[in-house]
């Protein structure tokens, strides 16, 4: 099956609103995500939105036989999904958002572990249809991002990491570039020895030192 110059490899998803095809062009390795819409009311909204859209991974849009198609580049790599999210770097996710800079209407519904791919330690996103009902906003994006990072980071986090996460949730960073700049390098706290164990260790070390001194004295007398 072909859609314009794109060869459909498989259908990834079918809903009442759209069909999502994974496609490629002949003689190209790049994969594409093509959304097919048939609802005329929805099509009018999306045409208006995508007519003014311009960002790196948006490939284009077109109409065929009263159906509307939206094309994004499909990411290389392995999907994080529900099983491998613990292996992800929270900082790399924020960095990828900053570098790829998807519009907020796409970024908000896109933020899910099932839409994150890892390719040679680089984070890439599988793009989705935009949220056009006016709910997409900076605050909602930061809240969803904070929820993801909260899961990735250890429960035993540093005070600096706690403050950063709280600042993200409260919208205190004017932009994700600023959030990335102040994101802590290490979110995990170093466990502190409890005093009772520390005292016990000191006593053991003292006994070892005394025993070693006695043995040294005996050896000196003998020789």
């Amino acid at each position: 099956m072909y859609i314009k110059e794109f060869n459909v490899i498989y259908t990834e998803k079918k809903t009442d609103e759209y069909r999502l095809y994974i496609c490629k062009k002949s003689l190209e390795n790049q994969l594409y995500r093509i959304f097919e819409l048939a609802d005329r009311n929805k099509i009018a909204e999306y045409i208006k939105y995508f007519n003014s859209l311009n960002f790196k991974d948006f490939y284009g849009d077109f109409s065929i036989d009263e159906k509307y198609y939206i094309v994004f580049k499909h990411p290389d790599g392995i999907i994080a999904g529900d099983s491998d999210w613990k292996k992800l770097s929270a900082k790399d996710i924020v960095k990828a958002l900053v570098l790829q800079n998807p519009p907020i209407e796409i970024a908000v519904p896109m933020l899910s572990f099932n839409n994150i791919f890892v390719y040679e330690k680089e984070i890439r996103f599988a793009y989705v249809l935009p949220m056009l009902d006016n709910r997409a906003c900076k605050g909602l994006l930061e809240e969803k991002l904070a929820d993801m990072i909260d899961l990735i980071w250890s429960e035993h986090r540093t005070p600096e990491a706690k403050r950063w996460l709280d600042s993200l949730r409260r919208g205190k960073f004017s932009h994700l570039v600023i959030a990335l700049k102040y994101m802590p390098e290490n979110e995990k706290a170093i466990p502190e020895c409890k005093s009772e164990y520390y005292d016990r260790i000191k006593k053991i070390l003292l006994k070892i030192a005394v025993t070693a001194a006695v043995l040294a004295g005996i050896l000196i007398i003998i020789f």
Side-chain angles (χ1 to χ4, degrees):
M1 174 182 169
Y2 276 85
I3 301 173
K4 210 173 180 181
E5 72 267 34
F6 299 94
N7 178 25
V8 176
I9 300 172
Y10 63 92
T11 302
E12 183 172 288
K13 194 172 183 179
K14 291 181 182 179
T15 72
D16 294 336
E17 185 181 354
Y18 66 85
R19 290 188 179 190
L20 171 58
Y21 302 107
I22 305 302
C23 310
K24 69 178 297 186
K25 290 182 175 183
S26 58
L27 305 179
E28 274 192 20
N29 292 323
Q30 174 67 54
L31 294 177
Y32 298 89
R33 299 169 63 78
I34 299 184
F35 291 88
E36 178 189 83
L37 295 94
D39 185 331
R40 291 183 180 180
N41 295 322
K42 290 287 185 182
I43 287 174
E45 287 184 66
Y46 285 120
I47 287 177
K48 184 178 179 181
Y49 177 77
F50 282 99
N51 272 349
S52 59
L53 186 65
N54 180 26
F55 83 101
K56 184 172 76 171
D57 291 324
F58 171 56
Y59 188 79
D61 61 332
F62 54 86
S63 297
I64 300 176
D65 297 332
E66 298 186 348
K67 291 181 180 179
Y68 180 59
Y69 297 88
I70 303 161
V71 187
F72 295 102
K73 291 179 181 178
H74 186 70
D76 296 322
I78 299 171
I79 189 169
D82 295 326
S83 57
D84 290 334
W85 58 265
K86 290 184 179 179
K87 300 175 185 177
L88 293 172
S89 161
K91 194 160 191 174
D92 284 348
I93 292 175
V94 180
K95 184 178 180 181
L97 273 174
V98 168
L99 292 176
Q100 297 179 37
N101 195 30
I104 199 162
E105 295 85 2
I106 293 175
V108 168
M110 176 194 74
L111 272 184
S112 160
F113 291 122
N114 287 324
N115 292 324
I116 291 179
F117 285 67
V118 182
Y119 179 73
E120 295 180 352
K121 296 184 179 181
E122 180 183 343
I123 298 292
R124 298 181 179 180
F125 298 107
Y127 293 101
V128 300
L129 290 176
M131 184 184 287
L132 299 181
D133 58 3
N134 297 321
R135 287 183 297 143
C137 63
K138 176 176 174 287
L140 184 56
L141 174 68
E142 291 169 338
E143 185 180 336
K144 290 189 72 174
L145 183 59
D147 288 342
M148 293 179 73
I149 293 173
D150 206 3
L151 284 172
I152 295 170
W153 277 359
S154 165
E155 292 180 6
H156 307 290
R157 58 191 62 143
T158 64
E160 182 186 11
K162 289 178 182 177
R163 285 193 297 271
W164 183 90
L165 198 56
D166 182 63
S167 295
L168 182 64
R169 286 192 188 281
R170 294 175 180 271
K172 292 183 177 180
F173 298 116
S174 58
H175 194 279
L176 283 183
V177 173
I178 307 301
L180 179 63
K181 179 181 178 181
Y182 290 103
M183 198 170 183
E185 290 295 332
N186 180 21
E187 83 284 359
K188 294 179 182 178
I190 300 171
E192 294 182 1
C193 293
K194 292 185 178 179
S195 59
E196 56 185 287
Y197 295 119
Y198 184 63
D199 291 340
R200 191 181 301 173
I201 290 170
K202 281 201 299 184
K203 289 178 181 178
I204 292 170
L205 291 175
L206 182 60
K207 286 181 180 179
I208 291 172
V210 170
T211 304
V214 171
L215 288 173
I218 294 171
L219 288 173
I220 290 170
I221 292 170
I222 292 172
F223 290 102

